[in-house]
Amino acid sequence: MPEGTEMRLANAAPACLFCAGDGRRPRVVIVGAGFGGLSAARALAGAPVDIVLIDRHNYHVFQPLLYQVATAGLSPADIASPIRAILSRQRNVTIVLGTVGGIDKENRAVLLGERRIGFDYLVVATGARHSYFGHDAWERVAPGLKTIDDATAIRRKVLLALERAESSEDEDERRRLTTFAIIGAGPTGVELAGAIAELVRVALAADFRRIDPSMSRIILVEAGPRILPSFPECLSAVGQRALARLGVQLRLGAAVTACDEGGLVAGGESIAAGTVLWAAGVAASPAAAWLEAAPDRNGRVMVEADLTLPGDANIFVIGDTAHARDRTGKPLPGVAPVAKQQGLFIARTIIADIRGSAQRGAFRYRDFGNLATIGRKAAVAEFGFVRLSGRLAWLLWGAVHIYFLIGFRNRLAVVLDWLWAYVTFQRGARLITGADAHGS
């Protein structure tokens, strides 16, 4: 650090925690314990650095399976692990629970309320939030799926809709309450639609007396011409047929123009729905504003080839927060493999810096393929020129997700839950919890 930096930090904020430049080893501050941040922290396990990992939650969540929590297939504890437990054997990590409010680039500090955490290297891996394309009022009636809280709120919303339909005396209201609309037909939207269809048409089919959940309508709305637009057209067609077998109705080429408690308007059609879910878009965290950096249209920070902030070689931005490009100039997708590989890359870069390497390489993403599941025994997979669908793709999807789960307990719990659901057609996490759990 430049001479005198420590004095400026002390004058600016007496409450500076873990101040960089205090004679200790280089300090790496990582903001966010998602796939990218956790990957970077673990890759620095043997490095001569001190790591401070900051997150507002005390757990890491395996986001690809959040939709199964939202549809009562898994419990939250099955896909989340405490950060301290994950890194308990890594002695060079200090974990701080808190919400970042800004970054002081000049004085090299991360701001947490009145506290400041100094850094020599900074890794911003704060992920993404929902984007409603200028219609922020829709968030109240059409929740998205990014966190454990989102998943349990959606589970509550879906199950309460059926309970309220069971109690309703109005046939039209029953029909509205048993209509579930999902906006956005990417992997999340498709997986949600398929899982809700199986939940209401199979797992809950015999649980009610006045309504027949199997007669529920599940409607998937997409502004584009096909589902799963990131997959080849042939696999999109396979996915579309799989959804049709589950009874999911598609509205393709139908942009949503209105959304409220009663339902939505898509492609000029008014759809009365008791549950509307959002899977159409994401925006980056406020990191660009913290760093005074140029964002793209989704709020992601435009980064250099080595994933650094332009003009600052010691600040890295990765994952959904970063606008990084592949060799052809195409923006990298906001998926877990990208974030994990970026975390490993910057860890190696930091280690090379400490060892005195004069040159930095450019990040190169290795795309190992795409996977998406569409209900029981149906999935699509793409690995370069290899394209799979059906039961084989479904088994592969399950194996990959179990492999990447953190912790033996979580892997075992998910396997047992999936086996139970496969044999019995039941879902064991059908709990209505939260402030409005009484269903009134």
Side-chain angles (χ1 to χ4, degrees):
M1 291 183 64
E3 189 175 338
T5 299
E6 184 178 354
M7 182 64 71
R8 289 199 305 271
L9 277 170
N11 291 338
C16 179
L17 301 178
F18 318 113
C19 291
D22 57 3
R24 295 189 287 179
R25 298 188 300 180
R27 177 153 293 107
V28 180
V29 174
I30 302 173
V31 183
F35 288 110
L38 196 60
S39 177
R42 297 172 85 177
L44 288 167
V49 298
D50 293 317
I51 304 164
V52 179
L53 179 59
I54 306 170
D55 201 282
R56 57 180 177 162
H57 300 297
N58 77 329
Y59 55 84
H60 167 81
V61 61
F62 189 74
Q63 285 191 335
L65 290 180
L66 273 174
Y67 83 95
Q68 294 226 348
V69 175
T71 55
L74 297 172
S75 72
D78 292 339
I79 66 166
S81 299
I83 300 168
R84 293 187 185 277
I86 296 170
L87 300 174
S88 62
R89 297 184 181 181
Q90 191 168 330
R91 306 310 299 174
N92 65 340
V93 175
T94 299
I95 296 165
V96 175
L97 192 66
T99 301
V100 172
I103 295 169
D104 183 349
K105 289 194 298 180
E106 180 182 358
N107 291 311
R108 317 307 273 177
V110 175
L111 312 180
L112 283 81
E114 298 299 319
R115 299 182 294 168
R116 299 166 68 89
I117 298 181
F119 64 84
D120 295 303
Y121 293 93
L122 175 64
V123 180
V124 181
T126 44
R129 51 202 167 105
H130 313 302
S131 173
Y132 290 84
F133 308 114
H135 300 281
D136 292 345
W138 293 357
E139 183 172 11
R140 183 175 54 85
V141 293
L145 184 59
K146 281 292 178 186
T147 68
I148 287 287
D149 290 339
D150 293 337
T152 54
I154 289 173
R155 182 181 68 185
R156 178 169 62 248
K157 190 177 182 72
V158 169
L159 295 177
L160 273 177
L162 296 172
E163 294 291 345
R164 287 166 176 160
E166 175 83 348
S167 302
S168 177
E169 302 294 339
D170 186 318
E171 190 61 35
D172 290 337
E173 179 65 2
R174 283 185 180 180
R175 181 173 175 79
R176 185 187 74 84
L177 287 169
T178 55
T179 297
F180 304 87
I182 300 98
I183 303 170
T188 299
V190 167
E191 289 172 347
L192 267 174
I196 291 174
E198 290 189 334
L199 174 67
V200 300
R201 294 179 181 276
V202 181
L204 300 178
D207 286 9
F208 293 85
R209 299 294 175 265
R210 303 183 66 199
I211 64 170
D212 181 0
S214 66
M215 299 304 292
S216 298
R217 298 171 69 210
I218 298 92
I219 302 172
L220 183 59
V221 180
E222 169 58 42
R226 62 188 179 96
I227 69 169
L228 299 173
S230 61
F231 285 77
E233 288 192 32
C234 60
L235 293 182
S236 293
V238 170
Q240 187 167 329
R241 291 194 294 270
L243 287 174
R245 287 194 296 271
L246 290 171
V248 176
Q249 302 174 24
L250 296 180
R251 300 289 189 275
L252 301 177
V256 175
T257 55
C259 186
D260 58 27
E261 292 85 350
L264 68 152
V265 177
E269 176 189 4
S270 180
I271 301 172
T275 302
V276 180
L277 304 178
W278 186 264
V282 295
S285 70
W290 298 343
L291 296 168
E292 300 176 344
D296 67 6
R297 65 177 184 175
N298 293 320
R300 297 178 299 180
V301 177
M302 306 290 290
V303 296
E304 302 285 7
D306 62 354
L307 306 178
T308 56
L309 182 70
D312 197 320
N314 284 17
I315 296 180
F316 299 86
V317 185
I318 63 174
D320 291 346
T321 315
H323 180 113
R325 296 179 179 270
D326 62 18
R327 296 181 184 182
T328 67
K330 182 180 178 181
L332 293 174
V335 294
V338 171
K340 293 178 74 170
Q341 290 182 37
Q342 288 177 335
L344 289 171
F345 172 83
I346 61 171
R348 296 188 186 115
T349 300
I350 291 171
I351 292 170
D353 269 8
I354 294 170
R355 291 175 177 170
S357 175
Q359 293 184 335
R360 289 187 178 184
F363 173 71
R364 294 288 181 259
Y365 172 55
R366 295 183 63 190
D367 188 353
F368 293 105
N370 291 322
L371 291 160
T373 183
I374 312 108
R376 185 183 179 89
K377 295 187 292 187
V380 293
E382 176 198 12
F383 304 99
F385 295 106
V386 178
R387 295 165 184 178
L388 303 173
S389 62
R391 182 174 297 185
L392 178 59
W394 179 71
L395 290 171
L396 181 62
W397 175 91
V400 167
H401 283 70
I402 290 168
Y403 175 79
F404 283 111
L405 273 169
I406 292 178
F408 175 77
R409 180 215 166 271
N410 285 19
R411 294 190 186 106
L412 180 61
V414 169
V415 168
L416 292 177
D417 280 344
W418 283 352
L419 285 174
W420 174 258
Y422 185 84
V423 172
T424 67
F425 290 87
Q426 294 298 309
R427 306 228 173 170
R430 304 198 311 259
L431 306 179
I432 302 176
T433 59
D436 56 349
H438 49 75
S440 61

